[in-house]
Amino acid sequence: MHIKITGKGRPIVLIHGWGMSGKIWEEFSKLMKNENKLYIIDLPGMGKSKLIKPYKINNLINKIHEVIPEKVAIIGWSLGGQIAMKYYLKYPNTVSHLVCISSTPCFINKSGWEFGVSINFFLKFKKNLLENSQKTLKKFFKLQIQDNEAGKKIIKKLENYFIDEQPPTKEGLEKSLKILEDIDMRNDIKNINIPTLIISGRQDEITNHKASIWMKSKIKKSKIFIFDMTGHIPFIQNQKKCFELIKKFVGP
């Protein structure tokens, strides 16, 4: 698994979301690397990481465990937040802090859970991905950002990064989407027993901010911050504030 290591200081792992790579943290990591040693991961089939077999969540977590230090803080965004929580649940003694950005314990609506996306939306998205992965990625990027001038610039940057320069493999997209489909941590969340910072955007159309509020109610040592006018990528849309929140939370 490819991992970029930069900076000096407290070790922090950054895990990106579906369809992206560690490059999504490029600007944000510049703020962090002066005081932290960053381990920026490319998930399998994305960025510079090759596919793994089997492409299952437990194997993915084991692969991450092989390349990061024994005692770390983990920042996970979207799917990366789910992976971060799963990682802690498997290796609880190796994680000091969790930061879950725009994440959820369960991505799809199920019985007793209405803070995900509808199964019909998900299945249509999956079908479109199989037919035309680049077109589907572009639509996915547009879901994450508000339709204004600033948002259009961010979308263009995402397209340049993850479609033109370093596109994910089709199989990587499919396999990681399957992880999103299968993960349901609603019964496990209560077992997270370390300081956890939950960050979300009220305008997020991919992971409902109400899922973040629910997580806050279940994780004993958690704090929450919700951006009112922000979508799915608060660490890009509100970079400075996100950095300040995380710096204060993780500490020196």
Side-chain angles (χ1 to χ4, degrees):
M1 185 176 295
H2 181 265
I3 180 168
K4 178 182 177 181
I5 302 174
T6 183
K8 294 180 180 180
R10 183 184 187 129
I12 294 181
V13 176
L14 296 118
I15 308 177
H16 64 85
W18 183 87
M20 310 288 192
S21 74
K23 196 172 177 69
I24 194 71
W25 302 106
E26 188 170 70
E27 295 300 320
F28 195 72
S29 65
K30 291 176 183 177
L31 298 176
M32 298 190 68
K33 69 179 183 179
N34 290 333
E35 298 179 10
N36 302 283
K37 188 171 185 178
L38 304 177
Y39 295 77
I40 305 172
I41 289 171
D42 284 351
L43 294 176
M46 301 175 208
K48 296 180 181 179
S49 285
K50 296 180 180 179
L51 288 166
I52 58 171
K53 292 184 180 180
Y55 203 132
K56 301 289 186 182
I57 185 65
N58 283 335
N59 192 31
L60 173 55
I61 288 168
N62 289 337
K63 293 294 183 184
I64 293 174
H65 188 62
E66 291 173 4
V67 296
I68 66 173
E70 278 296 316
K71 197 68 175 179
V72 295
I74 303 182
I75 301 173
W77 165 62
S78 196
L79 170 62
Q82 293 182 313
I83 293 169
M85 288 187 280
K86 277 281 191 181
Y87 186 94
Y88 166 78
L89 290 168
K90 186 165 186 180
Y91 297 108
N93 295 325
T94 68
V95 185
S96 63
H97 294 72
L98 281 175
V99 179
C100 297
I101 304 174
S102 304
S103 197
T104 174
C106 186
F107 189 67
I108 299 174
N109 285 340
K110 297 180 179 179
S111 176
W113 181 253
E114 298 178 352
F115 304 144
V117 299
S118 72
I119 187 63
N120 289 335
F121 171 87
F122 185 84
L123 292 176
K124 184 178 179 181
F125 185 86
K126 193 174 182 179
K127 179 176 180 291
N128 291 340
L129 179 67
L130 295 173
E131 292 173 352
N132 190 324
S133 59
Q134 284 198 1
K135 185 177 179 180
T136 305
L137 265 181
K138 287 184 178 182
K139 288 183 178 179
F140 179 63
F141 295 156
K142 289 178 180 178
L143 282 175
Q144 303 187 50
I145 305 290
Q146 289 95 331
D147 186 17
N148 52 36
E149 285 305 311
K152 288 175 182 177
K153 289 180 181 179
I154 295 172
I155 290 169
K156 185 63 178 176
K157 184 181 286 189
L158 295 179
E159 291 178 353
N160 287 339
Y161 280 177
F162 307 115
I163 293 178
D164 300 332
E165 294 180 16
Q166 203 174 66
T169 66
K170 187 175 181 181
E171 189 174 356
L173 292 173
E174 292 173 24
K175 297 293 187 181
S176 54
L177 195 65
K178 178 63 175 171
I179 288 177
L180 267 178
E181 183 177 5
D182 291 343
I183 284 183
D184 185 347
M185 290 183 286
R186 287 176 291 166
N187 293 329
D188 302 320
I189 287 287
K190 64 182 182 295
N191 296 320
I192 295 177
N193 195 32
I194 57 170
T196 301
L197 176 61
I198 301 163
I199 299 173
S200 65
R202 206 174 295 276
Q203 307 301 318
D204 193 337
E205 294 187 30
I206 297 172
T207 54
N208 194 322
H209 73 281
K210 291 180 181 178
S212 293
I213 295 171
W214 184 91
M215 286 166 57
K216 170 67 177 72
S217 73
K218 302 297 180 181
I219 301 174
K220 294 177 184 177
K221 299 180 182 180
S222 62
K223 298 180 179 181
I224 190 169
F225 188 91
I226 301 175
F227 289 96
D228 285 332
M229 302 304 294
T230 299
H232 192 59
I233 322 181
F235 62 92
I236 289 180
Q237 294 172 281
N238 297 89
Q239 185 182 96
K240 185 177 179 181
K241 180 63 177 179
C242 252
F243 169 69
E244 290 170 353
L245 287 168
I246 292 170
K247 181 180 180 180
K248 182 179 179 181
F249 175 71
V250 175

